[in-house]
Amino acid sequence: LKAHDHSHPQSTEIYAKIDRLKSKAIENGFIFDSSWITRSINENETIESVLCGHSELLVIALNLIQEPAPKFIQVVKNLRV
C-alpha cells in the first residue's frame, strides 16, 4: 500500500477502519498536530486527511480488519533517499 492509496480491493473497509480509529482518538481528546506536515496542504485536503493517509496507518488498518485479527503487527518501511 502507498500513501492515500485506494487501489487495494479492501480499501473501503480499510478507510472505514481508519475513520473509526480517528473518531475514537478524537473522543478521547486526541488533537491532530499540523507541525508534522512539512508541505503545503492542498485545497481539497485537511490536516486529518494528510496525517491519516500514511501507508503505515493503511497497513495497520488492513491488519485490524482481518479475521481473526492478528496478535502481532510488524510494519517495515524501506526508505532510500
Side-chain angles (χ1 to χ4, degrees), residues 6-73:
H6 288 272
S7 65
H8 192 277
Q10 291 179 288
S11 68
T12 302
E13 294 92 346
I14 292 169
Y15 281 94
K17 183 65 170 183
I18 290 173
D19 287 341
R20 289 191 299 274
L21 292 171
K22 181 173 60 174
S23 295
K24 194 66 143 175
I26 291 170
E27 280 176 25
N28 287 292
F30 182 78
I31 299 171
F32 289 93
D33 183 359
S34 63
S35 69
W36 290 100
I37 301 173
T38 59
R39 62 171 176 84
S40 298
I41 296 177
N42 298 328
E43 64 184 45
N44 61 338
E45 294 178 315
T46 64
I47 294 168
E48 292 178 21
S49 70
V50 172
L51 295 174
C52 290
H54 286 273
S55 58
E56 298 89 347
L57 183 58
L58 295 174
V59 170
I60 291 169
L62 173 62
N63 278 275
L64 293 175
I65 64 171
Q66 302 303 313
E67 292 294 331
K71 295 181 194 271
F72 178 77
I73 300 172

